[in-house]
Amino acid sequence: MLRRSKELGRLAGFLVLSCGLPCVQLVAQTAPPAQPQPAQTRPTPPLTVDSDPVSSPDASTPVKTQQQAPGAQGGVITREDGHYTLRTNAYEVRLNASVIDSSGRTVDSLPEDAFHVYEDGVPQTVVGFKHEDLPVSLGILIDSSGSMYEKTAAVNEASLDLVKLSNPADEAFLVDFSSEAYIDQDFTNSIPKLQQGLAYIHTSGGTALYDAVVASADYLSKNAKHPKQVLLIVTDGEDNASSASLESAIRRVQDLDGPAIYCIGLLFGDDVSRNEAKHAREVLQELAEQTGGQAYFPKSLKEVDGLTREVAQDIRTQYTIEYHSTKSPSLGGYRQIHVEAKEKGFHGLQVRTRTGYFPKPAAPEKPASGAPGGN
């Protein structure tokens, strides 16, 4: 039987199975180092959460002369060494949104003009709108703490069904977490490979949920092919082993313009205390609400498979909304997002999407086309 060597994982940064197949350890880290580590070539992807994928602007950038050019559409053209660069304050924000009516039913027939977007209370203009089954980069995070032993078979089956119901162009990776988080299968859309990854999971230890979220969100940001990204977490208890906090985990996801988080909390059974279940429920609801996902709390293992099918349906029927923020990214700070939907014939529509974001630093600018060159 194939076994993982966790001691080797701690020392070398990755796990090697007896057959030589790499099983990657994810290490969560809330504060990025000054210099980000370069991404490695698959199938051994980067292991350590290090920094945001976009570097901070260089504080020592030379001062450039500025001049407003006619027809710059509110932008500023700067000139340096004979090259011209057009700067604008537009910052594009992309939202994936689900809509339900007053009866809790999904509404998937709304036009673009039914949506109204607000950032920090200021109305925003929608510049992009889609309602189609876009491919997703998905991370499946399965709690492998000791208390999950008798629940593993049902969880594994439900996880595979989620992938089977997904868009054929989707890609998924598999992580199990107890006191540490490990990648059991890199990005794939192969059911047999995911089945093989699930076979590597062995239950033991505590529950480092927040560390697993941070590491997986960072892994998505560096390796995902698709801009639409999701994490599905299946757990049966509250975090008791992370170095990260709930607040820092959510902040990290928001810093990365990160994934929507869906949670399935298996908070039933004699081994789960009422106080622990209450706190775990609040944590999972907060993770989901802040990132635009959804939290589910089945009463038995029989319900888990149906819930993963519900998650797959929700992901595939979302609206994609894009707008250019009226607030310059250079101002920094957290921006609150609120989306409303109003349409004749519908009552009490509620929109579920992420609640806010931190703008990424501006990318290095390139000279404008047609700029003079040479002396």
Side-chain angles (χ1 to χ4, degrees), residues 148-160:
M148 285 286 291
Y149 177 75
E150 295 182 353
K151 303 166 187 172
T152 301
V155 169
N156 290 356
E157 181 182 354
S159 301
L160 291 174

Side-chain angles (χ1 to χ4, degrees), residues 280-303:
R281 176 183 285 264
E282 292 170 351
V283 164
L284 297 180
Q285 287 175 327
E286 187 72 7
L287 279 169
E289 180 181 340
Q290 293 295 327
T291 61
Q294 180 78 298
Y296 304 88
F297 302 97
K299 295 180 181 178
S300 71
L301 285 175
K302 293 179 181 178
E303 298 178 21

Side-chain angles (χ1 to χ4, degrees), residues 42-326:
R42 293 179 186 172
T44 52
L47 314 182
T48 305
V49 173
D50 43 31
S51 66
D52 289 342
V54 180
S55 304
S56 299
D58 189 348
S60 62
T61 301
V63 176
K64 303 174 184 180
T65 59
Q66 296 188 0
Q67 60 186 37
Q68 183 70 45
Q73 300 294 325
V76 175
I77 289 183
T78 60
R79 182 177 186 275
E80 181 184 24
D81 298 331
H83 294 276
Y84 294 87
T85 302
L86 172 64
R87 291 185 177 85
T88 65
N89 289 328
Y91 185 86
E92 186 170 281
V93 182
R94 178 187 174 113
L95 306 173
N96 296 306
S98 302
V99 182
I100 58 173
D101 63 16
S102 56
S103 300
R105 293 187 295 263
T106 299
V107 178
D108 59 2
S109 58
L110 298 178
E112 178 179 344
D113 58 12
F115 292 90
H116 307 274
V117 182
Y118 301 86
E119 182 178 294
D120 289 340
V122 178
Q124 306 292 308
T125 301
V126 174
V127 297
F129 180 84
K130 291 182 181 179
H131 186 215
E132 57 189 72
D133 181 13
L134 298 175
V136 175
S137 293
L138 168 69
I140 302 174
L141 281 61
I142 297 179
D143 185 346
S144 58
S145 60
S147 58
M148 285 286 291
Y149 177 75
E150 295 182 353
K151 303 166 187 172
T152 301
V155 169
N156 290 356
E157 181 182 354
S159 301
L160 291 174
D161 283 345
L162 170 65
V163 178
K164 291 175 184 177
L165 292 167
S166 299
N167 184 310
D170 287 356
E171 57 174 4
F173 70 97
L174 178 66
V175 170
D176 80 273
F177 65 94
S178 51
S179 299
E180 297 170 299
Y182 294 84
I183 291 184
D184 300 297
Q185 174 57 53
D186 192 9
F187 275 117
T188 184
N189 58 6
S190 165
I191 298 300
K193 286 184 178 180
L194 289 168
Q195 285 178 315
Q196 186 179 37
L198 289 167
Y200 299 149
I201 299 177
H202 300 283
T203 54
S204 65
T207 305
L209 170 62
Y210 307 147
D211 287 351
V213 168
V214 170
S216 298
D218 188 85
Y219 184 76
L220 267 172
S221 75
K222 295 175 181 178
N223 297 280
K225 294 179 182 177
H226 308 304
K228 186 173 182 179
Q229 298 169 10
V230 170
L231 292 180
L232 171 67
I233 301 169
V234 184
T235 182
D236 71 343
E238 63 179 336
D239 189 298
N240 57 21
S242 285
S243 58
S245 65
L246 172 62
E247 293 75 16
S248 63
I250 292 174
R251 169 63 191 261
R252 182 62 173 171
V253 173
Q254 292 171 333
D255 275 341
L256 295 170
D257 274 345
I261 299 177
Y262 290 79
C263 306
I264 297 179
L266 309 179
L267 309 180
F268 52 80
D270 297 334
D271 57 339
V272 181
S273 71
R274 180 175 297 182
N275 287 339
E276 179 183 346
K278 180 177 182 294
H279 184 256
R281 176 183 285 264
E282 292 170 351
V283 164
L284 297 180
Q285 287 175 327
E286 187 72 7
L287 279 169
E289 180 181 340
Q290 293 295 327
T291 61
Q294 180 78 298
Y296 304 88
F297 302 97
K299 295 180 181 178
S300 71
L301 285 175
K302 293 179 181 178
E303 298 178 21
V304 175
D305 191 54
L307 291 179
T308 56
R309 293 170 182 269
E310 204 170 309
V311 170
Q313 178 68 13
D314 188 73
I315 293 170
R316 298 188 71 168
T317 58
Q318 287 180 322
Y319 301 86
T320 300
I321 304 168
E322 296 175 348
Y323 71 91
H324 288 154
S325 173
T326 56

